[in-house]
Amino acid sequence: MRVPMIAGNWKMNTTVSEAIELVNEMRRGLDQIGNVDKVICPPFISLAAVRELIKGSSIKLGAQNVYFAEKGAFTGEISPLMLADLCEFVIIGHSERRQYFNERGEIVNKKMVAALKVGLKPILCIGERLEENEAGKTEEVVTEQLRSSLAGIDYLNGLVIAYEPVWAIGTGKAATGEQSNETIGLIRRNIAKLYDKEIAQGMRILYGGSVTAGNIAEFAQQPEIDGGLVGGASLKATEFLSIVKQTSEIKTVK
Ligand code: 13P
C-alpha cells in the first residue's frame, strides 16, 4: 500500500524567523498525525534551522529546487550534495520554475539525475497550462513531461510525482477530484509503460493546485490520488494541519 503524503511548498515566503515561528506552530500537531508522510519545503535559507526544529519528529524536510552540477563556479546555486546533507526531498520541475526560469525538459532531467545520484527523493512536478487543457492536450503534455524528465533514469529512489495543472496553481480554482484522478491514473499507466506495473502501483502521485482544508477531502477520496502538494494553504498552521489530518483519516483503511 502507498503511504499518503502531504507536502507543503512554502515557495518564496517566510524569513528565517517566520519559518521558525511557523514550524513551532505546527510541529506538535503534525507529529501526532499518523498514516501520512508530512513534508515541509521552506526556502533554502531556512532549511538548516527547520531541520533542527523537527529533529526527532516524524516531519520530513524538502527543498524547492536544486542545481544539477556537483559543485563549482555557479554563483548563487545550490548543489544536490549540499541538500542531501540537510533534507530528504527536493521539488524538481515546478511550473513556476518552468515558467519564470525557463526550466524545461533537458534541465529538469539533469536535475533529476543529479538529485537521485546523491540519494535525494525528487518530487517531480508536471502539469498542463490552461491553453493546453482547453485544447484537450493534457494527456499529450503530461506524457511528454514524464518522458523527458525521466529519460535515461532507471533508479527512482522513492520518486514522488505531483500533478499540478498550471491553471489551478495559486488561482483558487482547483481541478475537480474526478478530473485529477483521471489524469493521475493516466500518469500511473505511463509510469507502468516506462518502468513496470509494480513500480507504477507503488509510486505516490499527488495533486497540487489550490488545495485547501475545504477541498482536500475531494482529492484524498480518489483512489489514484495519494495526497497533495500544497502551496498557499501550507503557510497557515491550522489549515495545513487540517489538510494533513483529513488526508490521514480518509486514507486510513477502516
Ligand atoms: P497553491 O496551493 O498555492 O495553488 O500552489 C500549489 C503549488 O504550486 C504547490 O507546489
Side-chain angles (χ1 to χ4, degrees):
M1 277 318 289
R2 304 186 291 263
V3 179
M5 175 188 282
I6 297 290
N9 175 8
W10 294 9
K11 307 193 179 182
M12 198 176 72
N13 294 292
T14 67
T15 60
V16 176
S17 43
E18 285 165 349
I20 291 172
E21 199 177 318
L22 186 53
V23 174
N24 280 332
E25 271 177 70
M26 54 170 85
R27 179 178 48 186
R28 264 192 66 175
L30 273 184
D31 194 29
Q32 284 164 355
I33 307 170
N35 185 42
V36 50
D37 271 352
K38 302 143 288 193
V39 184
I40 50 178
C41 305
F44 284 137
I45 55 160
S46 295
L47 285 173
V50 170
R51 178 175 181 253
E52 289 308 307
L53 289 176
I54 59 174
K55 244 185 200 157
S57 81
S58 57
I59 305 163
K60 301 175 179 208
L61 193 59
Q64 300 174 16
N65 182 30
V66 65
Y67 194 56
F68 50 76
E70 273 180 26
K71 60 176 170 178
F74 300 100
T75 303
E77 291 297 326
I78 305 287
S79 84
L81 212 52
M82 294 174 190
L83 290 182
D85 195 36
L86 281 173
C87 59
E88 186 175 342
F89 292 92
V90 60
I91 298 172
I92 294 180
H94 192 280
S95 69
E96 284 148 19
R97 305 268 349 147
R98 293 176 193 263
Q99 188 179 346
Y100 305 129
F101 304 96
N102 237 343
E103 284 182 16
R104 297 287 144 82
E106 201 194 336
I107 296 180
V108 172
N109 178 249
K110 281 166 106 168
K111 291 187 170 196
M112 289 288 296
V113 170
L116 286 164
K117 194 174 164 196
V118 298
L120 285 164
K121 294 177 183 156
I123 301 176
L124 171 66
C125 300
I126 58 175
E128 82 286 2
R129 290 177 288 137
L130 182 62
E131 58 272 30
E132 293 164 335
N133 181 279
E134 284 171 346
K137 289 189 170 160
T138 301
E139 175 165 356
E140 192 183 314
V141 171
V142 297
T143 303
E144 173 51 26
Q145 286 173 337
L146 271 182
R147 193 204 55 76
S148 62
S149 309
L150 296 171
I153 295 176
D154 47 18
Y155 171 63
L156 296 173
N157 189 31
L159 164 72
V160 176
I161 293 177
Y163 167 59
E164 300 205 303
V166 179
W167 47 271
I169 296 178
T171 57
K173 286 189 209 138
T176 66
E178 222 168 288
Q179 274 174 327
S180 333
N181 191 62
E182 207 172 293
T183 308
I184 289 178
L186 171 112
I187 292 169
R188 206 178 291 290
R189 287 194 293 281
N190 264 294
I191 293 292
K193 274 189 223 159
L194 290 170
Y195 297 92
D196 63 41
K197 223 174 156 188
E198 205 177 314
I199 288 178
Q201 279 313 314
M203 184 170 292
R204 291 183 290 186
I205 311 182
L206 316 178
Y207 166 79
S210 299
V211 169
T212 63
N215 65 19
I216 184 64
E218 181 181 343
F219 298 103
Q221 273 153 7
Q222 302 291 334
E224 293 288 353
I225 306 181
D226 300 312
L229 181 55
V230 185
S234 70
L235 294 163
K236 301 173 205 145
T238 8
E239 180 156 21
F240 191 62
L241 278 167
S242 165
I243 291 171
V244 175
K245 196 153 186 279
Q246 290 181 59
T247 306
S248 163
E249 280 163 8
I250 292 167
K251 292 290 189 190
T252 301
V253 188
K254 306 242 164 46

